[in-house]
Amino acid sequence: MTLEQERDFITVEDENGKERTFSVEALLVVEADTYALLTSKDHYYDPIIMQVLNEEDGQYLVGVSDPIKKNIVIDAYEIAVDANPAN
């Protein structure tokens, strides 16, 4: 099994109805909020950070526009990777 086969993939629909598929690189809890670090299958985009919101009718992903919050999530991801490197 390749690393690509082990990844979870999700399809995200933007506000214009356009769908894109992403690989879920990580789910992180930072300051009591859950974030998803996503990368595009076509690798033309930088990783995307989205907040996971739990509502009564399901989970939703919401874009994170605050650059400080994005940096905090990226730093948390890097710390986690450094603490548990892949084989």
Side-chain angles (χ1 to χ4, degrees):
M1 184 180 302
T2 67
L3 184 59
E4 196 66 23
Q5 291 170 323
E6 294 176 17
R7 297 275 186 221
D8 289 327
F9 292 95
I10 62 169
T11 301
V12 176
E13 183 177 317
D14 68 16
E15 61 275 357
N16 298 319
K18 183 177 179 186
E19 292 184 348
R20 291 190 12 217
T21 300
F22 293 93
S23 171
V24 180
E25 296 297 319
L27 289 173
L28 301 155
V29 177
V30 178
E31 299 175 350
D33 293 321
T34 302
Y35 297 91
L37 181 70
L38 310 174
T39 55
S40 175
K41 277 182 66 175
D42 56 22
H43 303 289
Y44 293 117
Y45 302 96
D46 289 332
I48 295 174
I49 298 168
M50 300 189 89
Q51 184 174 358
V52 180
L53 299 179
N54 291 306
E55 301 290 333
E56 287 184 20
D57 60 341
Q59 288 185 320
Y60 297 91
L61 294 174
V62 177
V64 176
S65 59
D66 180 357
I68 294 171
K69 192 168 280 194
K70 283 183 178 182
N71 285 335
I72 290 170
V73 173
I74 290 170
D75 289 346
Y77 175 72
E78 290 173 351
I79 289 168
V81 168
D82 287 345
N84 297 298
N87 292 333

